[in-house]
Amino acid sequence: MPRMEPKLSVGETLAEAFSLYRDHAGVLLPVAFWLFLAAAIVEALTIEVLALFWIGIVASLAVGTLYQGVVVGLVRDVRGGRPDSSAGDLMGSVLPVFWPLIGASLLTALGVAGGLFLFAVPGLYLLTVWAVVAPVVVVERRRVTDALGRSRQLVRGSGWPVLGAVAVGFLIATVAVLGLTALATGIVEGEIVGLVFTVLAQTVAAPIAALIAAVLYFRLLEIERTRPAKEPEPIDLPPRLSA
């Protein structure tokens, strides 16, 4: 009797992601705060200068990408039996793949945004099949285009659960950011204090999407390993060679 292939579960994926959040908040939150604070300061200093506003955008992209790589590294180490990796170790492990990670993140963002703008379905499709691009780059050291194809290969057959996990994570993160930002607006005044509270909201929300992507990757990898290897297709030889 053939072995049944395990199925991806949205509930179990989210449960593992939030368990990792709880257990490793001591690393996840401080790293997020200082990275996003640095990006917010750069953006605040350059946003009013037309010739320099792009620097803030680049800083935000770089910080978000670096943080995503750090989270993937943490999940990889925890699953590999090394739960005590320091923030410095995690950042150091991401630096060799920083530029491919930037490229993959940029292409993913442009593709998904373009698909959603033109028509919702292509955007949701790309959001699903490219959901684990960042973990592929960090763990498998793939080039940008290879990582996009590899992510699609891993997601194959699990599209709906992947989309469900990503969508729920996005909703939770959005509610967290909006709630904390609204709370800060109601109780504090001043640009500097407002900036700090905005960064705090980003800090709380940022690990969610990154953890879900990392957990999805490792769960999809486990599912892939249970699939039977494909037998090579027979080659039809000309009569003279097959004799």
Side-chain angles (χ1 to χ4, degrees), residues 12-233:
E12 291 177 0
T13 299
L14 294 174
E16 181 179 353
F18 283 101
S19 176
L20 288 165
Y21 192 140
R22 181 194 64 231
D23 295 341
H24 300 279
V27 174
L28 292 169
L29 296 181
V31 172
F33 177 79
W34 291 113
L35 285 177
F36 287 110
L37 179 61
I41 292 172
V42 172
E43 186 175 356
L45 293 174
T46 59
I47 193 170
E48 295 183 0
V49 182
L50 185 60
L52 299 178
F53 82 97
W54 60 270
I55 296 178
I57 298 174
V58 172
S60 297
L61 174 64
V63 162
T65 301
L66 179 61
Y67 185 70
Q68 191 171 30
V70 167
V71 173
V72 173
L74 183 145
V75 177
R76 176 198 58 204
D77 289 353
V78 170
R79 280 176 158 257
R82 303 187 305 275
D84 299 323
S85 299
S86 67
D89 292 337
L90 293 171
M91 285 192 179
S93 69
V94 176
L95 292 179
V97 294
F98 178 72
W99 291 112
L101 197 56
I102 284 279
S105 299
L106 187 59
L107 282 179
T108 301
L110 290 174
V112 172
L116 291 173
F117 177 77
L118 295 174
F119 191 65
V121 173
L124 292 175
Y125 172 77
L126 293 178
L127 179 66
T128 302
V129 299
W130 290 347
V132 294
V133 166
V136 167
V137 173
V138 174
V139 177
E140 301 185 16
R141 297 299 200 253
R142 300 261 184 164
R143 295 180 298 178
V144 175
T145 53
D146 291 341
L148 296 174
R150 174 62 172 153
S151 176
R152 183 176 181 275
Q153 179 185 23
L154 285 169
V155 172
R156 178 175 55 88
S158 302
W160 287 113
V162 169
L163 180 58
V166 171
V168 172
F170 173 79
L171 289 174
I172 294 173
T174 301
V175 169
V177 169
L178 293 178
L180 290 172
T181 303
L183 178 63
T185 303
I187 64 175
V188 298
E189 294 181 359
E191 293 184 3
I192 295 178
V193 178
L195 182 145
V196 171
F197 270 88
T198 299
V199 171
L200 285 173
Q202 292 176 322
T203 298
V204 172
I208 297 173
L211 283 168
I212 289 173
V215 171
L216 280 172
Y217 168 76
F218 286 105
R219 285 179 172 262
L220 291 170
L221 197 63
E222 291 170 353
I223 291 173
E224 182 188 56
R225 288 169 178 165
T226 66
R227 293 172 184 158
K230 291 184 177 180
E231 296 182 1
E233 297 181 0

